[in-house]
Amino acid sequence: MRFTIQAIALLLALMLGIVLGIGSAETNIQQIQGTKDSQRAVQVTPDEKGRVEIAVLGHVYETDSKGALNEVKKKKEEAQKTAVQLTDASNSWLSVASNGAGQGIRETARAVVEKVVGWVGGSE
C-alpha cells in the first residue's frame, strides 16, 4: 500500500513538472524571440459550426464532423483487417515457439521477484 501511494505521488509530481515545464519553456522561448503573447505551440479553437481548428507549431488543421468520422471508420476497418491477418499468422510454429518462450521467461521472472521480495520483506 505504501509503495502504491509513493508511486502515485511520484507520477503526479512528474506530470505536474512536465506541464509546468512546457508552459515555462514556451514563455521563455517567446521572450527570447521577442514574440510575447504570440500563438502557442498547440492552440485549439472551436468554431460556431461545430468544427475545430487546431494549430500545431504553425500548421493549421481543421476538422469537420463528416470527414473526420469517415477517416476514423476507414482506419478502424484497416485495423480490423490487419488484426485478422495477424491472427492468421499467429498459427505459425515460430509464433507458437516465441509465445511459449515469452511465457516461460515471464513465469521465471515472477518467481525470482517473489523470492527476492520474500528475502527483503521478510515474513509478516
Side-chain angles (χ1 to χ4, degrees):
M1 182 70 179
R2 180 178 172 213
F3 175 74
T4 306
I5 293 172
Q6 287 177 340
I8 290 172
L10 179 64
L11 287 174
L12 290 175
L14 289 175
M15 295 299 284
L16 181 66
I18 289 171
V19 170
L20 293 176
I22 290 173
S24 66
E26 282 187 10
T27 304
N28 291 334
I29 288 171
Q30 290 174 0
Q31 287 176 353
I32 290 171
Q33 291 177 344
T35 56
K36 198 166 184 107
D37 297 330
S38 67
Q39 189 175 12
R40 308 293 278 176
V42 177
Q43 186 172 358
V44 179
T45 54
D47 193 5
E48 307 86 36
K49 299 176 184 176
R51 295 188 310 195
V52 177
E53 186 176 289
I54 303 171
V56 179
L57 298 175
H59 297 290
V60 178
Y61 301 98
E62 290 185 13
T63 62
D64 59 344
S65 60
K66 293 181 181 178
L69 186 60
N70 289 336
E71 286 183 31
V72 169
K73 286 182 181 178
K74 287 179 185 177
K75 287 182 181 180
K76 186 175 180 180
E77 290 173 2
E78 290 175 6
Q80 288 175 346
K81 289 178 184 176
T82 308
V84 168
Q85 291 173 352
L86 289 175
T87 48
D88 290 343
S90 69
N91 295 329
S92 71
W93 68 271
L94 182 60
S95 63
V96 172
S98 299
N99 287 337
Q103 185 66 26
I105 292 170
R106 202 173 300 123
E107 289 173 0
T108 304
R110 284 185 182 149
V112 168
V113 168
E114 286 177 3
K115 290 272 187 189
V116 170
V117 168
W119 291 335
V120 171
S123 59
E124 293 180 16

